[in-house]
Amino acid sequence: MDDLLITPGPGAPRGLRIPASELIEQFSRSSGPGGQGVNTTDSRVQLSLDLAATTALDDAQRARVLRTLAPRLSGGVLTIAASEERAQRRNRTLARQRLADLLREAVAPEVPRRPTRRTKGSQRRRLDAKTRRGALKVNRRRPAAD
C-alpha cells in the first residue's frame, strides 16, 4: 500500500502525505453486490487512521480536524468503510478517496461570516409596502360620522 496523498487546499497549502504505515486496512465480507461470490470474498474495506497520533498533521491542523470530525471519531480514530463495488481493489481505492476528501474538508479553516446590511432600496420598498398596506386597512374602516 502506498502513502495517501491529499492535494493542496485551504489549511494545507502544500497538501498532506499520510504514511502507509499509519493507515490500517481491514477486510470483511460485504453485504453489497457480488452474486454468489459475495459469501466467499472479503470485498468490504475498512480504512482507519488515528488522527490523534498521525505525523501528517501539524498541531493546528490536528486540532481543527479533531474538532470538525469529532462526531465520526472513536477514540481519536477515523474509520471509513467501502462496500459498494464487487472488487476489493475498487473498494480500497474508494475508501482511500473518501478519507482524502474528508481530511481535505476538515483541514480547511472556517470562513468567518460577514454580517450583511440591508440596502437603502430594500428599506425604502419595505416601508412603502407597509404604508400601502396601512392605507388599505384605513380605507376598509367605516366612514367617520360628521
Side-chain angles (χ1 to χ4, degrees):
M1 180 171 39
D2 297 333
D3 292 352
L4 179 61
L5 300 175
I6 299 174
T7 57
R14 283 175 264 132
L16 296 173
R17 177 185 293 269
I18 300 175
S21 59
E22 294 181 3
L23 296 171
I24 301 165
E25 281 185 330
Q26 294 177 328
F27 307 101
S28 60
R29 291 187 180 154
S30 174
S31 62
Q36 294 174 342
V38 78
N39 295 326
T40 58
T41 58
D42 291 340
S43 60
R44 180 174 187 258
V45 177
Q46 279 188 307
L47 184 62
S48 299
L49 173 65
D50 188 357
L51 293 174
T54 186
T55 58
L57 303 172
D58 62 25
D59 292 334
Q61 290 171 336
R62 179 175 289 108
R64 203 168 20 229
V65 167
L66 289 174
R67 185 179 60 247
T68 305
L69 298 176
R72 295 191 61 151
L73 299 180
S74 175
V77 177
L78 176 65
T79 302
I80 304 290
S83 62
E84 289 79 22
E85 301 290 337
R86 290 178 64 163
Q88 186 187 83
R89 178 174 291 164
R90 288 195 300 252
N91 280 332
R92 288 176 80 180
T93 304
L94 195 60
R96 290 171 66 90
Q97 185 61 44
R98 282 187 195 160
L99 180 63
D101 292 343
L102 206 59
L103 287 176
R104 189 178 309 107
E105 289 176 14
V107 166
E110 294 178 10
V111 179
R113 181 187 176 278
R114 289 190 349 215
T116 57
R117 293 181 55 179
R118 294 188 193 123
T119 62
K120 288 207 182 276
S122 70
Q123 290 177 6
R124 188 180 62 250
R125 286 190 299 274
R126 178 178 155 268
L127 293 176
D128 289 346
K130 286 169 69 78
T131 304
R132 280 194 308 275
R133 186 75 179 153
L136 180 73
K137 291 183 175 189
V138 166
N139 289 336
R140 286 185 193 153
R141 294 184 191 160
R142 288 180 185 233
D146 288 338

